[in-house]
Amino acid sequence: MATTEKHILYRIYVVAGLMFLLAVAVGFKLLNIQIVEGENYREMAEQRTYRNFVIPANRGNLYDTNGNLLATSIPKYDIRFDAVTVSDKNFQENVGPLSEKLAKMFGESSSRWAQKLRSARANKHRYLLIARNLGYSEYIKIKNFPMFNLGSNRGGIIVEQRTVREHPLGKMAERTVGYERQDDSGYYTRVGLEGAFGPYLRGKEGKRLKQRISKGQWKPISDNNEVEPKDGYDLISTIDVKIQDIAHHALLKQLEKYEADHGSVVVMETETGEIKAISNLGRTSQGTYFEKLNYAVGEAHEPGSTFKLMSMIVALEDKVIDTSTIVDTEKGQMIIYRRRVRDSKHGGYGKISAGKAFEVSSNVGIVKLIYENYKDQPQKFVDRLKAMHLDENLGLAIKGEGTPYIPTPGDKTWSGLSLPWMAYGYGSIQITPLQTLTFYNAIANGGEMVKPRFIKEVKEWDKTIEKFDKEVIDPQICSPETVAKVTDLLKNVVERGTGKSLYDPNFSMAGKTGTAQTEYWKEGWAQNPQYISSFVGFFPVEDPKYSCIVVIHKPDNKVGYYGADVSGPVFKRIAQKIFTDTPVLDEFETLETVNPAIEKNYEKYFATARNLGKVIPDLKGMPAMDAVSLLENLGVKYELSGNGEVSQQSVKPGTKIAENLVIKLKLS
């Protein structure tokens, strides 16, 4: 018996000891949590209960050169209701009036709204959706509804704001306006002006403290932000909405007519390099067109005949030819290294001048002029092309510029065919439409090559933050003599060459047509040939204000494919509409002109007015307006008949003015 009790006591002591040790351990852990690790646990609790949420800043606006919006940030608001935070008194007093207001604004019956609000109250719903995507005026209106006007704590209103980027022009210039998007990993996709100038437009983010509530939802602690967001700067672009509209619709009309794959058009201000319009349209599987890619900036390809201008300038600068140099185009074809060069005219042009070869776009003529003068020194030809910056990127702010390529002796692609093929825009040459336009614009500008520019300035309200001025790539790409010669050639292309269908005696244009084969290396090309049709030039010839390029890829060759037929009309339509809708005004020495008859009438009126007395003046020969003015100054009543000048007056001149005197004037 004693042994059994001893064993029981032993077990009790062991259990008590273990419990004591457990209590000590628990106590120690509690002290450790409270004192040593307390701060960390409190922070973790707060992080799970409270969190700072990022408030995106409003992006700055993007404007055209005249202040029209191209892109803007519109605030949108979601309204929710915390049915728990409202007191019973406030809820019962306001639920009816609030339901009536919501019914009028959103269409459901007031009883339906009352039921929804009471149900949320009963179920302790703290995040009931009231409305999405409200505009600012709607937000202000709903914020002043009964109960909601008591604020977030007493009235239960929860306001969530976000910004939406909108383009007032819709799809026009969409790729040029562009966008800047950030994915969940923080990686940015940047397109167009929005992407290029994101650091200016973006602004600085704000912060708002929210509390975690049921079902993983977060409710703002107050109506105020911990850190207020700072709006981005505004950008003033060089785009002119009127010219953009003209260019867009002119291109779209032609793409639809020829069922082309895609096309682009750019209009540049000659002197400054400012891009006034840029449109890029690609065909969808449904046969419609939209701005798929920025072809004008990013698509480098063999230019074809528009490159003949560059070849002519090289030869003229090296003085190996003149525009009067005779070249034999034979019967419109020639063989080089077993490859055939053909002219579009069957039978050829025979012996013609170099200038004429350019005007009619003779492939044989241009190839002969270049090949015969540079076959022993092709590097000289290439070096001159590169000296005119044809192998250099323009360094545009917009991302995605295509890389130009001028083949060079020693390259893997160089062969005996490279030089003659380069002469008329083939031979692996790569150049984008905007790079081609920049070169032609330099000719229009007297030889000064300027960098294309899309942005004029960065502004914060009325304060200019940064200006983007004209940038000169090369003050003189070739001699003034060569500029004058090729300007005449480009003018003749329109007046009597391949672009003569575009000629208008009332409006001068200069330019070059281009019809380049594309994808000619693919199997089956001969059965279904594909072309790139282009026209590039400037207007008016006498004092160029604008340069323009139109490039249309893969028009339906059954409808047409020559540059003059496909792209040329777009160029002409743009040029004429610009000067019809947005005329360039010349300066006049004075707007004042002297009309002797008017001067004589004024002198007679002035002399009579100075000598007014108490008698009727001689009004004969005066314009009615002057006669009436004199009579009113005398206080004499009058009656008029007819139009023009006074031929008869019923009261003789010199008659003393009497009370109630009425004079009748006959006008003729």
Side-chain angles (χ1 to χ4, degrees):
M1 183 68 181
T3 305
T4 303
E5 290 178 354
K6 186 177 180 180
H7 281 297
I8 292 171
L9 286 172
Y10 178 75
R11 290 176 182 175
I12 290 172
Y13 292 149
V14 171
V15 171
L18 290 173
M19 291 181 66
F20 175 76
L21 291 174
L22 180 62
V24 171
V26 170
F28 177 78
K29 188 65 177 178
L30 288 173
L31 288 172
N32 185 64
I33 290 172
Q34 286 288 331
I35 299 171
V36 180
E37 299 181 14
E39 190 63 32
N40 291 334
Y41 282 111
R42 278 189 288 273
E43 287 182 9
M44 289 174 63
E46 285 188 6
Q47 287 175 2
R48 293 185 178 185
T49 308
Y50 298 94
R51 183 183 298 174
N52 265 317
F53 283 76
V54 170
I55 304 174
N58 285 328
R59 286 179 73 86
N61 293 330
L62 178 61
Y63 296 93
D64 87 333
T65 189
N66 298 311
N68 299 300
L69 272 174
L70 298 177
T72 185
S73 292
I74 304 295
K76 294 292 182 181
Y77 302 87
D78 293 346
I79 307 298
R80 295 180 180 272
F81 177 54
D82 181 351
V84 175
T85 191
V86 184
S87 68
D88 287 335
K89 180 183 177 183
N90 286 338
F91 185 83
Q92 296 302 331
E93 286 180 356
N94 291 288
V95 67
L98 174 60
S99 298
E100 291 177 3
K101 290 286 188 180
L102 292 173
K104 287 181 181 179
M105 186 169 186
F106 300 112
E108 290 188 68
S109 65
S110 58
S111 60
R112 173 68 177 143
W113 276 108
Q115 181 186 359
K116 187 183 293 187
L117 294 172
R118 291 186 185 279
S119 176
R121 178 78 170 176
N123 295 318
K124 297 183 179 181
H125 199 327
R126 306 201 66 178
Y127 208 59
L128 176 67
L129 178 65
I130 301 297
R132 288 187 188 275
N133 294 323
L134 297 184
Y136 181 75
S137 60
E138 294 172 310
Y139 154 65
I140 293 298
K141 186 177 181 180
I142 201 171
K143 191 178 179 183
N144 289 300
F145 281 1
M147 192 147 58
F148 288 170
N149 59 8
L150 300 176
S152 60
N153 291 324
R154 295 173 58 219
I157 185 173
I158 300 172
V159 179
E160 295 181 332
Q161 178 185 339
R162 66 184 186 282
T163 55
V164 177
R165 201 66 171 165
E166 292 192 355
H167 296 169
L169 285 185
K171 295 298 180 182
M172 279 203 308
E174 187 175 30
R175 296 299 298 189
T176 302
V177 172
Y179 57 83
E180 181 181 55
R181 295 172 185 163
Q182 185 180 19
D183 62 18
D184 295 337
S185 302
Y187 178 78
Y188 279 97
T189 301
R190 296 184 173 97
V191 173
L193 297 176
E194 288 263 21
F197 295 91
Y200 291 106
L201 292 164
R202 206 176 298 143
K204 293 184 178 179
E205 297 172 336
K207 292 182 179 179
R208 190 173 193 183
L209 188 64
K210 294 186 180 183
Q211 181 182 12
R212 187 185 180 94
I213 56 178
S214 61
K215 298 180 181 179
Q217 297 169 335
W218 294 84
K219 171 191 169 184
I221 297 300
S222 68
D223 291 336
N224 298 320
N225 300 321
E226 269 54 52
V227 178
E228 290 295 332
K230 183 181 179 182
D231 292 348
Y233 295 129
D234 294 334
L235 293 181
I236 311 300
S237 76
T238 62
I239 300 294
D240 186 314
V241 167
K242 290 182 180 178
I243 299 177
Q244 179 68 40
D245 183 65
I246 293 167
H248 173 88
H249 287 97
L251 177 64
L252 177 60
K253 180 179 179 181
Q254 206 73 345
L255 289 172
E256 291 174 338
K257 177 181 178 180
Y258 285 90
E259 299 179 1
D261 182 75
H262 64 274
S264 60
V265 57
V266 186
V267 180
M268 182 189 291
E269 190 173 75
T270 305
E271 183 180 355
T272 64
E274 291 184 0
I275 301 300
K276 294 300 176 184
I278 177 169
S279 186
N280 301 277
L281 297 172
R283 185 181 174 90
T284 67
S285 57
Q286 290 78 33
T288 58
Y289 291 89
F290 79 107
E291 293 240 348
K292 295 170 69 175
L293 297 169
N294 199 333
Y295 304 111
V297 169
E299 187 174 42
H301 56 82
E302 289 179 321
S305 292
T306 56
F307 198 80
K308 290 173 181 174
L309 175 68
M310 295 70 158
S311 297
M312 284 291 292
I313 289 175
V314 169
L316 289 169
E317 282 290 276
D318 285 339
K319 300 188 185 306
V320 296
I321 67 164
D322 197 357
T323 55
S324 59
T325 300
I326 300 300
V327 58
D328 187 1
T329 65
E330 303 176 26
K331 294 183 179 181
Q333 57 180 318
M334 63 181 291
I335 304 294
I336 297 182
Y337 293 103
R338 300 180 184 178
R339 296 289 297 274
R340 194 181 304 273
V341 179
R342 291 189 179 91
D343 282 341
S344 58
K345 181 184 177 182
H346 182 70
Y349 300 94
K351 292 183 179 180
I352 55 176
S353 68
K356 183 68 174 178
F358 182 84
E359 293 166 17
V360 298
S361 201
S362 168
N363 295 332
V364 174
I366 299 298
V367 168
K368 275 195 170 186
L369 289 168
I370 299 303
Y371 185 67
E372 290 175 359
N373 287 288
Y374 292 97
K375 61 184 178 182
D376 296 328
Q377 46 184 350
Q379 188 67 54
K380 183 178 181 182
F381 178 77
V382 171
D383 288 345
R384 180 72 76 172
L385 291 175
K386 291 185 175 182
M388 296 188 293
H389 312 282
L390 288 167
D391 65 330
E392 300 173 12
N393 282 89
L394 296 170
L396 303 175
I398 290 180
K399 306 297 181 185
E401 181 184 1
T403 302
Y405 175 65
I406 301 296
T408 303
D411 289 353
K412 291 181 179 179
T413 59
W414 188 268
S415 70
L417 287 170
S418 295
L419 178 63
W421 257 236
M422 287 173 65
Y424 68 122
Y426 290 97
S428 300
I429 290 174
Q430 298 288 305
I431 189 168
T432 68
L434 188 53
Q435 290 159 358
T436 298
L437 178 62
T438 300
F439 187 89
Y440 273 74
N441 189 78
I443 300 304
N445 212 20
E448 182 183 64
M449 181 179 282
V450 293
K451 181 179 177 178
R453 186 155 51 99
F454 292 88
I455 293 295
K456 298 180 77 168
E457 60 181 321
V458 180
K459 300 192 78 172
E460 183 179 29
W461 298 103
D462 293 331
K463 179 184 176 183
T464 297
I465 303 299
E466 185 174 349
K467 273 198 169 185
F468 295 85
D469 297 320
K470 170 182 174 181
E471 291 185 46
V472 178
I473 297 173
D474 192 330
Q476 200 69 45
I477 63 167
C478 61
S479 66
E481 294 78 14
T482 297
V483 170
K485 288 177 181 178
V486 296
T487 298
D488 285 340
L489 295 182
L490 293 168
K491 180 181 178 182
N492 291 339
V493 167
V494 176
E495 291 186 355
R496 64 191 188 203
T498 53
K500 62 184 178 183
S501 61
L502 309 174
Y503 176 67
D504 186 336
N506 301 312
F507 185 81
S508 63
M509 301 183 298
K512 182 71 184 75
T513 58
T515 309
Q517 297 176 0
T518 186
E519 299 180 359
Y520 48 83
W521 56 88
K522 289 186 176 181
E523 187 177 348
W525 187 89
Q527 288 72 40
N528 184 30
Q530 300 292 321
Y531 297 91
I532 300 173
S533 304
S534 55
F535 190 94
V536 55
F538 47 86
F539 54 90
V541 177
E542 298 76 21
D543 184 17
K545 301 295 183 185
Y546 298 100
S547 58
C548 176
I549 187 168
V550 183
V551 181
I552 294 179
H553 286 249
K554 302 180 185 178
D556 185 344
N557 55 61
K558 298 181 182 65
V559 183
Y561 57 88
Y562 285 113
D565 300 328
V566 180
S567 296
V570 179
F571 181 98
K572 182 178 181 180
R573 197 173 299 126
I574 291 170
Q576 290 183 326
K577 285 284 286 181
I578 284 176
F579 280 92
T580 300
D581 296 352
T582 56
V584 175
L585 302 178
D586 293 327
E587 293 184 1
F588 294 90
E589 292 183 5
T590 179
L591 293 175
E592 298 180 2
T593 57
V594 177
N595 187 309
I598 293 175
E599 285 291 304
K600 183 178 179 182
N601 288 336
Y602 175 75
E603 289 173 2
K604 181 178 180 181
Y605 166 80
F606 186 67
T608 306
R610 279 192 307 172
N611 297 308
L612 281 179
K614 297 296 182 181
V615 296
I616 297 295
D618 184 4
L619 304 174
K620 291 179 182 178
M622 279 191 178
M625 182 176 64
D626 292 346
V628 167
S629 177
L630 290 174
L631 292 174
E632 288 179 345
N633 286 331
L634 290 170
V636 177
K637 297 179 181 179
Y638 56 88
E639 294 178 2
L640 300 176
S641 62
N643 295 290
E645 297 178 346
V646 177
S647 59
Q648 295 179 26
Q649 60 185 84
S650 62
V651 180
K652 293 181 179 179
T655 301
K656 190 174 181 180
I657 297 173
E659 192 175 352
N660 298 324
L661 176 66
V662 178
I663 183 171
K664 296 180 180 180
L665 302 179
K666 186 177 181 180
L667 310 176
S668 60

